[in-house]
Amino acid sequence: MNVTLSATLAANEDIERRRRAGERVLHLAFGEAGLPVHPALLDRLVAAADRNGYGPVAGAMELREAAAGYWTRRGLVTEPDQVVCAPGSKPLLYGLQLAIGGDIVLPKPSWVSYAAQADLVGAEPIMVPTPPGEGGAPDPDLVAAAVLRARAQGRTVRSVLVTLPDNPTGRLASPRTMGRLVQVARELDLMIISDEIYRDLVHDLATPFLSPADLAPERTVITTGLSKSLALGGWRIGVARLPHGARGLLDKVLAIASEIWSAPAAPVQQAAAYAFTEPVELVERVARSRRLHAVVANAVHAAFVEAGASVPAPQGGFYLYPDLGHLGVGGSAEITKLLIEDHGIAVLPGHAFGDDPSAARVRVATSLLYGESQEERMTALTSSDPLSLPWISANLAHLSRGLHDLSTRQQAAGRTPRRTMAATPAHG
């Protein structure tokens, strides 16, 4: 086993250390939603503070019923006994890999914890590139070839994972890609794990996309939570929807849960049950969050395009995945080091997400640009023009200046940046 501290958490600690030392660092490395908690959720949490029992391993019935309603409203009829709750979707994803067993197919690039969790459970991830310009789903034709090759070598491959929309690219898989991937999963008898933690933050609700559960509910497990849509990362609550009739899988997940987390925190479950019923005030909060994430992510996208990077426009969440190979400075580790040490811009290297280390691609998270204080973040959330707010404007100016200075220095060093077309899709 070769598991180290998560790249996102390690970067967060390094940035805090630099800031304590007085360095000016623009934090684009940590995928936290960066917004205040809605007062209605605080009220529910406080009201349930006296609930100190463990409760059912699968989660409180109120929460399972609410989560079932959440999926049913999205066209996927769900019963409470198909729902399992946990302290975050991250342990659910780990428990699912452990329960399903075998090796797993992952998109390349994909969130840092997927491959690390595979290593923890003794599996070997099969990294398969996404179609150009898309994100979150491995190329179906490449999946088929990779799985057949692995099985011919005696490996057991039982699952494939998708993210909707994607971290790290901020992109969506096209309906065509998802349809073909579901077909391949059926042909090869693969379970599909669909991480939909960012689903409610697709920027344009008219954008066509499909969950694999829309096409193959009998073999798709969905995980989600409230850490992104309602900025409750620190509350640690996640839910999973298992296929109808998958009693064997459900029993395995519950057995794993009983030995690892027992049950989510009871007061948090009560607040989450309220959230998953989607009352009007929380629907409005998610809509405001979606708009802010989109506005700021697109402004950051414009800054990278202006600097000559190849980067598809974001479609959901608060991530971008620019390719800075035109600068000719090396791979993802080299460009990441240059950005933070010489220009005060913290990003994550693409190789942390399973990408080719020689490619100068980085993951950029935009959600911590909204402000340092709760007051600034709330102002950003409610502003009709968040880009005009002084602190957001200053952050964007810092980014543009750093990217410009980096390009200028490379020119002075004799490395003339190669101008790339803004519409050229990055790999992944």
Side-chain angles (χ1 to χ4, degrees):
M1 183 173 68
N2 183 30
V3 176
T4 58
L5 184 65
S6 168
T8 51
L9 298 177
N12 204 44
E13 293 180 6
D14 178 57
I15 292 162
E16 290 306 312
R17 177 186 60 79
R18 289 175 180 272
R19 285 179 166 178
R20 286 194 299 270
E23 294 184 36
R24 168 78 163 97
V25 179
L26 189 65
H27 198 341
L28 300 174
F30 196 53
E32 191 162 60
L35 293 169
V37 179
H38 194 286
L41 291 170
L42 291 174
D43 291 343
R44 265 63 182 186
L45 184 69
V46 171
D50 62 346
R51 300 200 179 198
N52 60 346
Y54 286 110
V57 174
M61 179 55 70
E62 298 98 318
L63 176 52
R64 283 183 280 154
E65 289 175 342
Y70 168 89
W71 278 303
T72 297
R73 286 189 295 277
R74 284 154 180 77
L76 196 62
V77 176
T78 305
E79 300 298 330
D81 63 3
Q82 294 176 251
V83 178
V84 179
C85 312
S89 61
K90 195 170 185 177
L92 282 169
L93 289 162
Y94 172 78
L96 286 164
Q97 284 206 47
L98 191 57
I100 295 170
D103 292 339
I104 185 170
V105 179
L106 299 177
K108 178 182 178 180
S110 56
W111 182 45
V112 298
S113 289
Y114 299 142
Q117 288 185 347
D119 193 49
L120 281 170
V121 305
E124 185 177 348
I126 300 172
M127 307 297 294
V128 175
T130 61
E134 298 184 26
D139 187 299
D141 294 329
L142 298 180
V143 168
V147 171
L148 292 174
R149 184 164 54 249
R151 287 177 174 171
Q153 296 168 353
R155 293 168 60 181
T156 301
V157 186
R158 291 183 177 157
S159 60
V160 58
L161 185 145
V162 301
T163 313
L164 180 84
D166 184 39
N167 170 15
T169 66
R171 300 287 292 176
L172 283 160
S174 69
R176 181 181 181 279
T177 292
M178 196 62 75
R180 175 65 182 130
L181 183 63
V182 164
Q183 181 182 353
V184 169
R186 283 199 174 109
E187 292 169 353
L188 298 177
D189 193 23
L190 298 173
M191 287 293 295
I192 304 170
I193 301 173
S194 186
D195 182 352
E196 301 187 8
I197 194 77
Y198 297 95
R199 174 173 176 152
D200 293 330
L201 296 180
V202 173
H203 295 167
D204 183 353
L205 297 181
T207 302
F209 67 89
L210 287 171
S211 166
D214 295 328
L215 305 172
E218 79 286 352
R219 64 176 60 249
T220 302
V221 181
I222 302 176
T223 63
T224 192
L226 303 174
S227 60
K228 310 305 178 182
S229 60
L230 286 168
L232 298 181
W235 287 23
R236 309 311 303 140
I237 191 71
V239 293
R241 180 198 186 275
L242 277 66
H244 182 71
R247 188 70 228 182
L249 179 59
L250 175 64
D251 289 344
K252 287 181 181 179
V253 171
L254 291 178
I256 291 165
S258 71
E259 300 298 349
I260 297 179
W261 62 79
S262 298
V268 175
Q269 290 192 70
Q270 295 306 305
Y274 175 72
F276 276 114
T277 63
E278 299 184 286
V280 172
E281 65 268 26
L282 296 188
V283 171
E284 180 182 330
R285 169 57 68 90
V286 173
R288 286 182 177 273
S289 302
R290 184 187 303 118
R291 176 182 176 274
L292 177 62
H293 295 319
V295 168
V296 175
N298 276 284
V300 172
H301 173 261
F304 275 95
V305 169
E306 177 61 28
S310 172
V311 51
Q315 294 177 296
F318 30 82
Y319 300 114
L320 299 162
Y321 200 65
D323 187 331
L324 294 162
H326 69 292
L327 295 175
V329 299
S332 60
E334 290 80 9
I335 194 68
T336 299
K337 183 177 180 181
L338 271 176
L339 283 169
I340 192 167
E341 293 190 352
D342 293 355
H343 306 286
I345 299 171
V347 297
L348 286 183
H351 71 259
F353 300 87
D355 206 348
D356 181 355
S358 67
R361 291 189 280 268
V362 297
R363 202 285 302 272
V364 176
T366 63
S367 49
L368 295 184
L369 300 180
Y370 307 151
E372 295 294 326
S373 68
Q374 294 285 68
E375 181 181 6
E376 286 183 347
R377 294 166 186 161
M378 181 56 73
T379 300
L381 185 65
T382 58
S383 173
S384 61
D385 184 14
L387 299 184
S388 68
L389 297 173
W391 54 94
I392 294 180
S393 176
N395 284 332
L396 292 173
H398 180 112
L399 174 63
S400 294
R401 185 167 56 251
L403 293 174
H404 177 268
D405 290 348
L406 173 61
S407 179
T408 301
R409 288 189 187 186
Q410 294 313 116
Q411 288 179 342
R415 301 187 186 96
T416 303
R418 301 183 303 276
R419 190 74 180 182
T420 57
M421 294 295 290
T424 302
H427 298 291

